[in-house]
Amino acid sequence: MTHDIGSGAPAYPPIEDHGIIGDLHTVALVGVDGTIDWCCLPRFDAPSVFGSLLDAERGGFFRVTVPAAERTKQMYMPDSNVLLTRFLAQDAVAELYDFMVPDHPSCGRGTRQIVRQVRVLRGRATVEVRCRPAFDYARAPHEVTVVEGAGAVFSGPAGRLALRSSVPLRADGDAAHATVTLGPGESLRLAAQWQDDGRREVLRPLEAAEATALLDGTLRYWDGWLRGSQYRGRYRETVERSALVLKLLVHQPTGALVAAATTSLPESPGGGRNWDYRYTWIRDAAFTLYALMRLGFTEEAAAFIDWLHQRCVQAPPGTGLQVLYGIDGRADLPETELTHLAGYRCSRPVRIGNDAARQLQLDIHGELMDSVYLYNKYGEPISYELWEALGRQLDWLEKHWEEPDDGIWENRGGRRRFTYSALMTWVAFERAIRIARHRGMPAPVERWRDAAAAAYRHVQDHCWSPDRGAYCQYPDGTTLDASLLVMPLVKFAGPGDPRFLSTVRRIEEELVSDSLVHRYETDGADGLSGGEGTFNLCSFWYVEALARAGRVGEARYVFEKMITHANHLGLYAEEIGPAGEARGNFPQAFTHLALISAATNLDRALSAHRGSVARHWQSP
């Protein structure tokens, strides 16, 4: 299903029927029919201005379309985040260029604008424009003022959006619209600019020369940025698209990476697993630093390590880090429900904020220390101030690591001791010891060594199930957990370790379906209603586990099959449903980070071992 272009309000398109554009402060999702149905301004975690993805009637949208088009196709301009949508009618072809102007001196700082330009290539095409914002998650009213010959202004207590236009607009209730027929070589230009700083500039039309300059500057920026990539492997196009997505999800002023661009897109239609991912998880740190540095993007890695530094320094004495923070470092992220919104395809609740910020997830200290270790080794030496702040975190972890927690998957069914948390406790102390040894930093190395040894023995003595022949989700339990595929990735187990190989086989038997991997069995014990799809992050972890275990042909098969599960632009949501549809928030940073890691390590394994696909993966 696509947007209903014949009525005033759009219907719900598939999650995967979207591209993403952004300006390094926020992003917009653009449907294959030319509708922007999600955009928060002026930054990722601000209230939505266009939100029809979460409520087709109330949410607000910005549509530029050719009603006579029988087909549409989307692509990115080469080496960029400039999105091109082609409208193919029987007697006409038109192209829509969508982009946001990056926050960079070469493009003009502080512009905060969405630029949309339609150009007709063949025949005569009628183009329809309709812009109806809905400020503050559709909670705040606004008025429309048409400025003749220049565009329209949407203003209210929650904000002001100025829409510059090269064609006359008409007011229609709380919307502005236009219908224009263009011939070959003719164009229509629009720019929606957010104004929240008291500026009241005179609205002027978007002239062709200015639109061309903005497009050229944006293309140059993205091309120049991507030239910094050092990846030269087999999957260059796929990896570079993931890098471009990740760059869009980085908040330029702070260096923080949001987990995804959206909130409340369901993991299961009609279910309650709908979360706000527009924040920064400490857990993402190690994967972010690893992916960015492997590709050569040291500036982004340095910015993110600085963000982590601030969180460690600002943590109150005697406390551990939170699981997640706002992009500006704020700790208070209360989870509330927007009951006036219908939800994506009526999947409620719609949530803003995330109560996971108040959970206890002990594993985050392992990811934190792993990221610092990687940066200290491959980036720049860490500061003494950061080292002291990390020491305080390790002191806290040493006292609390044996407590029950909520786990990596943010369980809401009550705390228990999770194997993954103990595993990452070992990582935290082991990496701290490495840093201290390498840099000669002052440290209670003997205490850390004892803590690491205790965590290691706990996993081996209590989390291994001889009956299941696998490491299980929690001590003395029987539930399998795909998070334990990371054991060789973090050097806890060798890739040929018999216990690990046996665990992989059990996971394959129970959690793998057509090469796609479920996180764990969702039987209600996690305190959440509804099911979920396969988890893309775990599928890429599976690729790495196979490659490290010497099953290189199978790893390549799974990886290349995973590539086919991306959408038409190479983007991934959090999960994949049974019909191959995208589920969960979109696009998800963790998935693209894991893709980069899997691709680089698979490249290395393929270069060392030219094996064929094992019989297990061949058709009968």
Side-chain angles (χ1 to χ4, degrees):
M1 180 186 296
T2 59
H3 291 97
D4 180 4
I5 60 177
S7 64
Y12 298 101
I15 293 170
E16 62 268 23
D17 279 6
H18 289 90
I20 181 174
I21 57 175
D23 62 2
L24 311 181
H25 285 248
T26 190
V27 296
L29 297 188
V30 185
V32 295
D33 69 341
T35 300
I36 293 177
D37 54 17
W38 181 255
C39 183
C40 299
L41 292 169
R43 64 185 211 177
F44 295 106
D45 56 355
S48 64
V49 172
F50 302 118
S52 59
L53 193 61
L54 294 181
D55 192 309
E57 297 293 331
R58 301 179 185 89
F61 59 93
F62 183 7
R63 183 166 64 243
V64 178
T65 194
V66 177
E70 298 175 355
R71 292 180 298 148
T72 61
K73 292 184 178 293
Q74 279 185 328
M75 60 175 281
Y76 281 108
M77 296 292 286
D79 299 336
S80 82
N81 280 314
V82 175
L83 184 64
L84 171 61
T85 304
R86 305 187 74 221
F87 297 94
L88 307 174
Q90 201 165 44
D91 54 0
V93 175
E95 293 181 338
L96 168 63
Y97 294 82
D98 279 316
F99 60 96
M100 297 180 75
V101 181
D103 180 11
H104 190 267
S106 65
C107 302
R109 289 191 181 277
T111 54
R112 301 284 76 72
Q113 60 182 324
I114 303 169
V115 181
R116 318 195 73 184
Q117 182 171 354
V118 178
R119 183 170 58 189
V120 174
L121 303 181
R122 178 173 61 83
R124 296 183 62 80
T126 297
V127 181
E128 289 190 359
V129 176
R130 188 171 187 85
C131 183
R132 182 172 65 80
F135 296 104
D136 190 24
Y137 304 110
R139 293 181 296 192
H142 67 266
E143 295 181 348
V144 183
T145 302
V146 171
V147 180
E148 190 167 350
V153 176
F154 306 88
S155 56
R160 187 173 190 265
L161 186 72
L163 177 60
R164 300 170 60 194
S165 174
S166 65
V167 299
L169 299 177
R170 299 184 302 277
D172 181 9
D174 58 356
H177 73 101
T179 301
V180 181
T181 299
L182 303 175
E186 294 182 325
S187 65
L188 177 159
R189 300 170 301 280
L190 302 156
Q193 186 171 357
W194 178 254
Q195 298 178 346
D196 63 352
D197 55 4
R199 290 181 301 165
R200 294 296 183 265
E201 299 176 359
V202 175
L203 202 67
R204 53 189 176 83
L206 182 60
E207 301 293 347
E210 183 184 357
T212 298
L214 289 171
L215 175 60
D216 289 346
T218 300
L219 287 169
R220 282 196 304 272
Y221 169 80
W222 287 116
D223 179 74
W225 181 81
L226 194 58
R227 286 177 185 270
S229 173
Q230 297 175 2
Y231 180 81
R232 298 294 183 269
R234 296 165 176 82
Y235 305 105
R236 185 169 176 175
E237 184 177 353
T238 298
V239 167
E240 290 187 345
R241 177 48 54 194
S242 287
L244 285 163
V245 172
L246 291 175
K247 180 65 172 174
L248 283 179
L249 296 177
V250 172
H251 184 240
Q252 180 89 341
T254 62
L257 176 84
V258 296
T262 57
T263 179
S264 301
L265 293 183
E267 297 176 22
S268 178
R273 298 170 185 259
N274 313 329
W275 314 110
D276 192 347
Y277 276 12
R278 299 170 299 153
Y279 307 111
T280 302
W281 269 251
I282 295 294
R283 180 176 299 111
D284 294 4
F287 299 94
T288 302
L289 268 294
Y290 179 83
L292 291 173
M293 288 190 294
R294 285 301 298 266
L295 298 182
F297 295 117
T298 55
E299 182 179 335
E300 287 76 14
F304 194 44
I305 206 76
D306 183 63
W307 185 89
L308 289 170
H309 181 176
Q310 294 303 315
R311 304 294 77 71
C312 292
V313 169
Q314 293 170 2
T319 65
L321 289 171
Q322 282 192 180
V323 176
L324 65 140
Y325 294 86
I327 51 180
D328 56 1
R330 74 187 189 281
D332 188 23
L333 304 171
E335 184 177 296
T336 59
E337 295 183 7
L338 301 179
T339 56
H340 67 288
L341 295 180
Y344 175 78
R345 296 187 175 178
C346 300
S347 294
R348 283 175 166 164
V350 174
R351 294 183 171 100
I352 56 173
N354 199 313
D355 276 347
R358 299 188 292 185
Q359 287 189 341
L360 176 64
Q361 296 177 26
L362 294 164
D363 65 279
I364 65 171
H365 297 85
E367 283 99 1
L368 170 66
M369 290 308 304
D370 200 31
S371 68
V372 173
Y373 166 75
L374 290 169
Y375 187 75
N376 184 75
K377 183 175 181 179
Y378 298 109
E380 296 291 332
I382 64 170
S383 68
Y384 176 71
E385 183 185 23
L386 176 56
W387 180 247
E388 287 291 289
L390 292 170
R392 293 192 292 272
Q393 288 299 310
L394 292 170
D395 288 343
W396 182 90
L397 181 62
E398 189 178 359
K399 297 173 184 175
H400 297 278
W401 77 270
E402 296 179 278
E403 297 176 4
D405 73 337
D406 298 293
I408 178 177
W409 304 130
E410 303 183 351
N411 191 307
R412 297 200 178 193
R415 292 179 178 176
R416 65 193 318 163
R417 296 196 68 185
F418 287 94
T419 303
Y420 184 82
S421 296
L423 165 66
M424 297 309 292
T425 295
W426 173 83
V427 171
F429 290 109
E430 197 275 341
R431 299 304 191 267
I433 293 168
R434 288 195 192 196
I435 297 171
R437 185 172 60 241
H438 175 67
R439 291 283 309 281
M441 294 284 204
V445 173
E446 290 302 320
R447 273 180 31 218
W448 290 353
R449 186 174 290 115
D450 289 343
Y456 188 92
R457 291 193 185 98
H458 173 78
V459 174
Q460 298 289 16
D461 296 344
H462 299 285
C463 303
W464 166 259
S465 170
D467 294 336
R468 297 300 308 275
Y471 294 103
C472 293
Q473 189 176 59
Y474 46 87
D476 306 315
T478 59
T479 302
L480 297 177
D481 190 330
S483 68
L484 302 180
L485 290 169
V486 306
M487 284 183 164
L489 280 65
V490 299
K491 313 299 183 186
F492 179 89
D497 180 88
R499 286 188 171 188
F500 175 71
L501 294 179
S502 181
T503 300
V504 172
R505 288 193 291 270
R506 297 290 84 75
I507 288 174
E508 287 175 330
E509 291 170 1
E510 299 188 27
L511 297 182
V512 177
S513 173
D514 188 27
S515 79
L516 301 173
V517 184
H518 291 272
R519 294 189 292 178
Y520 54 89
E521 184 179 356
T522 53
D523 55 5
D526 57 7
L528 300 170
S529 62
E532 61 182 27
T534 56
F535 213 69
N536 292 326
L537 167 67
C538 296
S539 297
F540 285 118
W541 279 348
Y542 181 43
V543 171
E544 287 208 54
L546 290 174
R548 291 173 186 267
R551 296 165 59 181
V552 182
E554 296 169 67
R556 182 174 188 174
Y557 172 84
V558 174
F559 183 82
E560 296 191 3
K561 200 167 188 180
M562 274 299 297
I563 292 176
T564 71
H565 287 290
N567 81 344
H568 58 292
L569 296 168
L571 311 181
Y572 291 88
E574 186 175 21
E575 299 179 6
I576 295 170
E581 75 277 16
R583 288 186 176 183
N585 286 309
F586 175 90
Q588 195 210 25
F590 223 158
T591 296
H592 287 278
L593 290 165
L595 182 154
I596 292 170
S597 178
T600 54
N601 285 294
L602 180 58
D603 272 325
R604 183 191 307 157
L606 286 168
S607 297
H609 175 77
R610 301 293 298 180
S612 61
V613 176
R615 184 185 310 169
H616 178 75
W617 297 106
Q618 292 177 340
S619 299

